[in-house]
Amino acid sequence: MARPSSALPLGLLFAGLIVYASLYPFEGWRVQGVAPLAFLAAPFPQYWTGFDVLSNLVGYAPLGFLLAVTLLRAGLALRAAVWATLACGALSLSVETLQNFLPARVPSNVDLVLNTAGGALGAGLANVLQRLGWLDAWSRFRADWFAPHAHGGLVLLALWPFALLYPAQVPFGLGQVGARALAWLEEVVEGTPFALWLPVDQLATLPLSPLSEACCIALGLLAPLLLGFSDLRTLRGRLAFVPLLFGLAMAVASLSAALTYGPSHAWAWIHPPVLAGIALAGAVALVALWLPRRLCNVLMLLVLAVLLTVLNQSADTPYFAQSLEAWEQGRFIRFHGLSQWLGWLWPFAALIYGLRAVAAPPRP
């Protein structure tokens, strides 16, 4: 019997991210006079790096795992791993073929083999966990701790750490897109009467004060916290969720700082406003432990509205702009856009989810 699962939406999102990373920067499409499938018979490349091998192998493993779990939940236990592996191979073959039409990308038969092998590893892991009973144990844990309708919330919570990887001017301050969106609109409407409608000179003019920064940090932590509270069924689950979320947020922020500035600067992002914001979020979390789930969704909407308003009326500092160069060069060129888009869009996706949850009829 098919059971509802968050694995399918996560798998589709992960497939979209793979397509983005494989075809980035989506510029210069043209026919280069090469047979689309000629790379399959090409000799193996003489030069490769461990990072390329690892990224191509590991990059498809989560997709294979999620697709296999989806098929297992649908009752296709016998061939779930096979179909998931074939799906990963078909996706890899499709993007490698499309790379023929991008001058900045080179299709590779080695990448195809590694991608398919990574998908097979993930699908095999899902099959092993199913045989050991761990997937059923997760289903029982999910039923005990989370509301039955929590699929969308769990997907958003799973994506939140990846959204934090891209450097933000304010730690945990996702969704700061106002200045960039206006710059893009200015280019689109340049030379048209609509250019006079854009208030370019009125936005992003003042930096955040230390107090405003601390408040934004607290709001950035409270948004996923309240999202989790709206899906957790028990007080015990909420008590366990608070330190888990705070610890994960600090670990991911440190990883982002280490990737940007080097391992020796992993904790350089922590300064007094950050500590004040974390303490404020912790205090509010203790008060929110006993709030009803629907009220948690309402408060999450208010938190996101205030956070997005404040962040998008603040200016980027020159130092922050320079810090992004490490993410936009070298090996990060395929991945910085993924985390950047997640960081931009996650708050707006959470807003849509919260609005739907508040507008839905009460559930028993």
Side-chain angles (χ1 to χ4, degrees), residues 49-61 114-115 334-335:
T49 65
F51 177 80
D52 291 332
V53 173
L54 185 63
S55 62
N56 281 288
L57 183 66
V58 177
Y60 273 71
L114 291 173
N115 296 158
R334 299 185 184 182
F335 305 104

Side-chain angles (χ1 to χ4, degrees), residues 69-132:
V69 170
T70 300
L71 295 173
L72 290 170
R73 289 287 184 263
L76 303 177
L78 295 179
R79 299 182 178 179
V82 175
W83 286 112
T85 302
L86 291 176
C88 291
L91 177 63
S92 178
L93 178 62
S94 300
V95 296
E96 293 293 333
T97 302
L98 288 174
Q99 286 180 357
N100 283 288
F101 306 99
L102 286 171
R105 307 306 299 267
V106 178
S108 170
N109 48 13
V110 174
D111 290 351
L112 175 61
V113 172
L114 291 173
N115 296 158
T116 306
L121 288 176
L125 177 61
N127 194 39
V128 170
L129 295 181
Q130 173 70 9
R131 292 179 180 275
L132 294 176

Side-chain angles (χ1 to χ4, degrees), residues 6 56 78 121 139 141 151 168 171 194-195 206 214 231 234 250 257 259 263 270 280 285 310 323 330 349:
S6 302
N56 281 288
L78 295 179
L121 288 176
S139 297
F141 171 82
H151 305 294
F194 298 101
L206 296 176
D231 289 333
T234 63
M250 297 188 68
L259 293 174
I270 297 180
L280 178 59
V310 175
S323 69

Side-chain angles (χ1 to χ4, degrees), residues 214-292:
C215 291
C216 288
I217 291 168
L219 295 174
L221 287 172
L222 287 174
L225 186 81
L226 292 169
L227 175 63
F229 280 8
S230 68
D231 289 333
L232 286 162
R233 300 179 59 183
T234 63
L235 177 62
R236 176 188 60 175
R238 292 184 176 186
L239 284 171
F241 181 66
V242 173
L244 177 63
L245 179 79
F246 278 49
L248 180 62
M250 297 188 68
V252 175
S254 299
L255 175 60
S256 176
L259 293 174
T260 305
Y261 308 110
S264 61
H265 300 279
W267 301 100
W269 60 278
I270 297 180
H271 51 280
V274 174
L275 296 177
I278 294 175
L280 178 59
V284 176
L286 295 178
V287 177
L289 285 171
W290 289 270
L291 295 179

